Amino acid sequence: MEKLVKPARIAFAIGLAGMVFPQFFYRQFIVNFFPAWPHLPLAGFWACLFAAAVLAGCAAIIFGIRPKTASLLLGGLLLAVYLFGYFTYDLFVALYNNHLGTWADGLKEPALAGGALVVAGSLPTEASVQRSAVLRFLEKLVAFGPFLFCTTMVLYGICHFLYTAPISTLVPGWIPGHMFWTYFGGSALILSGIAVTFKIKLRLTAFLLGLMIFIWLLIIHIPLTIADPFGNNSNSLVSAFSALAFCATAIIISGMAGKRPPQI
């Protein structure tokens, strides 16, 4: 599984880049990255600037241009935007945010931040890069990458039980037992998230989590994207790319289980 780490890093970068790219066309934030703050000035400008910064970081990872620095900065950016964006908005601004479903859109962002930190942890130290105070701080957060990722996985698993009816409609019609697979998927997300967090059979559990999300990408997200790629601000397309990023994160965690990146 170690051989999958490098392609998984590229897959994560492609997934994250695919999520933010539509912001250039819609001139607004995709719902997974920033909430609809009332009267936010220059919202289109900030959305495009954020997308450009994320795309630059993803390109650096894909083409190996100081990828560790890029992934650290991506993780810090995504986490900061979530804390000062969705977290603050859901906690203090939005009305009626008293159940988990109202937080669901923004929960992808800390998982992506955790994924970027996981990518950073799988890369060798860049000896030629001067380590600023910001990078040294972000390096300390690398250990929390799997936790951020798994927190979202567990919460999404809980959503499978709280919102069973709407989630069960995502199961393809040719698969029998929609309710069973909804509960099974929720249970798998919760148990694997907990297991990865506490490093219980880490290599196997993280790999199975990544495999499950990859299967969902193939049988749920890609068909929905083909059916309606641009509807609701390209929601199906963005969801497919997020599934790719999450799958890649789990595979990297599996491949790096018990190992440290080589030092240069």
Side-chain angles (χ1 to χ4, degrees):
M1 282 182 278
E2 294 87 346
K3 295 181 180 179
L4 296 176
V5 171
K6 184 176 180 179
R9 286 197 293 258
I10 296 174
F12 173 83
I14 293 173
L16 180 54
M19 291 182 70
V20 300
F21 191 76
Q23 293 184 177
F24 289 114
F25 295 96
Y26 299 112
R27 296 295 192 273
Q28 65 185 47
F29 280 97
I30 297 299
V31 295
N32 302 129
F33 292 108
F34 201 81
W37 276 85
H39 313 299
L40 177 68
L42 302 174
F45 168 77
W46 295 117
C48 290
L49 181 63
F50 173 79
V54 171
L55 286 174
C58 292
I61 294 173
I62 293 171
F63 296 106
I65 305 171
R66 295 185 177 179
K68 188 178 185 74
T69 299
S71 53
L72 285 172
L73 293 175
L74 271 177
L77 174 63
L78 291 167
L79 188 57
V81 171
Y82 174 73
L83 291 176
F84 292 103
Y86 257 113
F87 185 78
T88 303
Y89 178 83
D90 287 335
L91 203 59
F92 301 111
V93 178
L95 299 176
Y96 312 116
N97 274 14
N98 55 358
H99 57 90
L100 183 58
T102 58
W103 291 65
D105 285 336
L107 286 175
K108 285 187 179 180
E109 194 161 29
L112 292 167
L117 294 172
V118 167
V119 170
S122 71
L123 287 162
T125 300
E126 297 162 352
S128 61
V129 177
Q130 185 176 0
R131 298 170 62 195
S132 65
V134 172
L135 288 178
R136 289 197 298 270
F137 172 75
L138 292 175
E139 285 178 342
K140 294 179 181 179
L141 297 182
V142 167
F144 295 96
F147 173 76
L148 290 171
F149 172 69
C150 290
T151 297
T152 294
M153 296 300 103
V154 170
L155 292 176
Y156 277 173
I158 294 173
C159 285
H160 279 65
F161 291 90
L162 296 180
Y163 313 106
T164 305
I167 291 178
S168 66
T169 62
L170 297 175
V171 180
W174 52 270
I175 298 179
H178 286 197
M179 298 301 288
F180 166 78
W181 290 112
T182 302
Y183 289 127
F184 177 86
S187 300
L189 286 172
I190 294 170
L191 294 175
S192 60
I194 293 173
V196 171
T197 299
F198 292 100
K199 299 181 180 180
I200 302 171
K201 299 287 185 181
L202 180 57
R203 182 182 295 269
L204 176 62
T205 305
F207 178 78
L208 291 177
L209 174 60
L211 179 62
M212 180 177 70
I213 298 174
F214 182 70
I215 292 173
W216 291 350
L217 172 64
L218 294 179
I219 69 173
I220 297 176
H221 294 291
I222 289 179
L224 289 176
T225 300
I226 294 173
D228 186 17
F230 305 114
N232 193 20
N233 288 352
S234 300
N235 181 66
S236 295
L237 180 65
V238 171
S239 294
F241 277 115
S242 69
L244 177 62
F246 291 162
C247 168
T249 301
I251 295 300
I252 296 171
I253 293 174
S254 174
M256 294 301 296
K259 295 183 178 293
R260 292 184 178 181
Q263 303 293 307
I264 294 180

